[in-house]
Amino acid sequence: MRVLFVTYAERTHYFQMVPMAWALRTAGHEVRIASQPALQDTIVASGLPAVSVGRDHSFDQVLVEKSDDEGWSERVANVLIDPASVAYDDYVRFLREATIYSGQVFNDPMVDDLVAYTRQWQPDLIVWEMFTFAGAVAARATGTPHVRLLWGADVMVRMRQHFLSLLAQQPPQRRRDPLGEWLAQTAERFGTSYDEELITGQHTLDQSPASMRLPLGLPTVTAQYVPYNGPSRLPDWLREPPARPRVCITAGISMRGFHGHDPVPLKTLQAFGDLDLEVIATLVPPEGETIDLPDNVRLVDFVPMHALLPSCAAVVHVGAAGIGATATRYGVPQLTLVPAQWDAPVRAARIQELGAGLSIPQEEVTPEMVREAVLRLVTEPSFRAAADRLRAEVLAEPTPNEVVRVLERLVTPCDPR
């Protein structure tokens, strides 16, 4: 069968699609990846065929504009962390902002060309990244089965379920659904209609372990998370096992792509100088920021997490979904320096509830707090035991190769006779 993967141009979100795309490819299916021009080199570097659709998005400009809106992050966090407590009018405001500043920004530049390409190539299945609603619209416009791929907690649908319950209670003159209205208008341009499948997908591909999933009642295909970190070379020092407990401190690669540096100050590293630890910090500081590093700290700009984390006793990160999922796969206790960004607070809270890590709100972080939390993760056996339980859950899920058969059945259902 022909399978079209669709994502807006964000490489870390695309990275979460690569193992599944390759599983389909090695099973003999024809796979293509459709995205905006900015992602083409990243797709080609992953060994898969790239299809350029539309224009690049401008989310970097949105971040600049919203940096002056001090309440924006808090409004996002309130809706996604505790949706049951949010009032109807606050939901409408959030959905209006989310539609204008992310939904339209990511999707409008690519949807027309994507629909045209889908009509031309006629895939049998479309797999779309959870923010790339253009993939669902293209599927609906062409009658193609489609699957939404999650890279984190499904806070979008949880939020929608609470909102739709409130929406149904409003008198007709007060009913507003900015996200649904925009998607309805978009779908109508291609001769089709809107329903919640344009947000949920016909099925959801969830790569979280069972205890990390949100129970939302959706048709769900579960898969084992397999990390992909892009093309990389392993450093020579990683060939030898660490002589003392190794701790990774990282901010991932997403934020440095927007800001040019990572949101973890180098001064944090000085708190580890007198500890019997080996610290690997994959951080890029702001221009001009320098410090004298302790002898037990190695500062590098990048190491693939799937190669580094298996040797680590703990990892400190800023809530990036890929790093969190990789740590979970390898049974590594986590300290999350939690930003008020999308699902990061939800995932961090769940890791802490399960006993596999600790968290500190990003705005409250001090080097001393990070030091104390890391010492707990490294010295208290309960954190490793809980992380090992999560690892066992991950490895119990079907591999991408095994999930291929499930996706095949979604396209060609078994004859009930």
Side-chain angles (χ1 to χ4, degrees), residues 334-336 348 351-352 356-360 372-374 376-377 383:
Q334 305 175 44
L335 170 60
T336 308
I351 287 289
Q352 185 156 315
L358 297 168
S359 63
I360 307 170
E372 180 182 350
V374 166
R376 288 192 60 197
L377 295 181
F383 291 108

Side-chain angles (χ1 to χ4, degrees), residues 42-364:
T42 298
I43 297 169
V44 171
S46 72
L48 293 162
V51 178
S52 180
V53 289
R55 310 180 314 278
D56 288 326
H57 64 78
S58 56
F59 190 61
D60 52 348
Q61 182 60 38
V62 170
L63 291 177
V64 172
E65 294 173 1
K66 297 303 285 183
S67 63
D68 294 330
D69 185 349
E70 295 182 359
W72 185 40
S73 294
E74 182 178 345
R75 292 195 297 275
V76 172
N78 288 343
V79 169
L80 299 179
I81 293 172
D82 189 13
S85 68
V86 178
Y88 172 73
D89 288 337
D90 292 331
Y91 264 123
V92 172
R93 181 181 183 183
F94 166 79
L95 287 168
R96 182 174 61 251
E97 292 184 319
T99 301
I100 293 171
Y101 296 116
S102 61
Q104 291 178 321
V105 168
F106 296 147
N107 292 276
D108 283 354
M110 65 184 291
V111 65
D112 291 83
D113 201 15
L114 177 65
V115 171
Y117 179 74
T118 304
R119 286 172 171 165
Q120 173 197 339
W121 194 52
Q122 298 182 357
D124 301 294
L125 176 68
I126 291 177
V127 180
W128 51 278
E129 180 272 342
M130 58 193 285
F131 284 172
T132 313
F133 305 116
V137 172
R140 175 65 61 84
T142 57
T144 307
H146 60 105
V147 173
R148 179 179 59 120
L149 186 144
L150 300 181
W151 44 258
D154 201 357
V155 291
M156 165 67 80
V157 168
R158 184 175 70 171
M159 174 273 295
R160 286 290 295 178
Q161 290 180 346
H162 285 283
F163 167 71
L164 293 175
S165 176
L166 291 178
L167 181 66
Q169 301 171 30
Q170 306 304 312
Q173 66 273 18
R174 277 182 47 80
R175 291 180 187 171
R176 292 295 312 279
D177 179 6
L179 178 59
E181 291 162 10
W182 162 63
L183 282 172
Q185 292 169 2
T186 303
E188 287 169 8
R189 292 200 288 109
F190 302 106
T192 189
S193 60
Y194 164 81
D195 59 35
E196 282 295 295
E197 275 190 4
L198 295 188
I199 295 174
T200 66
Q202 292 176 325
H203 291 79
T204 294
L205 182 59
D206 195 334
Q207 302 177 91
S208 302
S211 60
M212 295 285 290
R213 284 184 219 126
L214 299 180
L216 301 175
L218 297 177
T220 299
V221 177
T222 63
Q224 183 181 132
Y225 175 78
V226 176
Y228 169 76
N229 300 137
S232 54
R233 294 183 177 89
L234 301 189
D236 289 343
W237 56 261
L238 195 54
R239 297 169 62 175
E240 299 296 329
R244 48 187 170 174
R246 176 178 284 166
V247 174
C248 172
I249 301 179
T250 182
I253 58 176
S254 293
M255 287 299 100
R256 72 173 63 162
F258 291 118
H259 303 298
H261 60 84
D262 292 325
V264 178
L266 291 186
K267 66 180 182 181
T268 304
L269 304 178
Q270 293 178 317
F272 295 92
D274 63 338
L275 300 181
D276 188 27
L277 299 174
E278 176 190 351
V279 177
I280 309 298
T282 68
L283 299 174
V284 172
E287 186 175 355
E289 181 182 340
T290 60
I291 65 165
D292 292 328
L293 291 175
D295 292 339
N296 63 338
V297 175
R298 185 188 299 271
L299 182 64
V300 295
D301 62 350
F302 175 78
V303 182
M305 288 293 117
H306 73 271
L308 174 61
L309 290 188
S311 68
C312 289
V315 59
V316 181
H317 62 92
V318 295
I323 293 170
T326 304
T328 300
R329 177 182 175 87
Y330 292 112
V332 183
Q334 305 175 44
L335 170 60
T336 308
L337 311 181
V338 190
Q341 293 176 356
W342 201 245
D343 69 329
V346 175
R347 287 184 286 104
R350 187 59 181 148
I351 287 289
Q352 185 156 315
E353 289 167 2
L354 292 168
L358 297 168
S359 63
I360 307 170
Q362 200 170 70
E363 67 274 12
E364 299 176 10

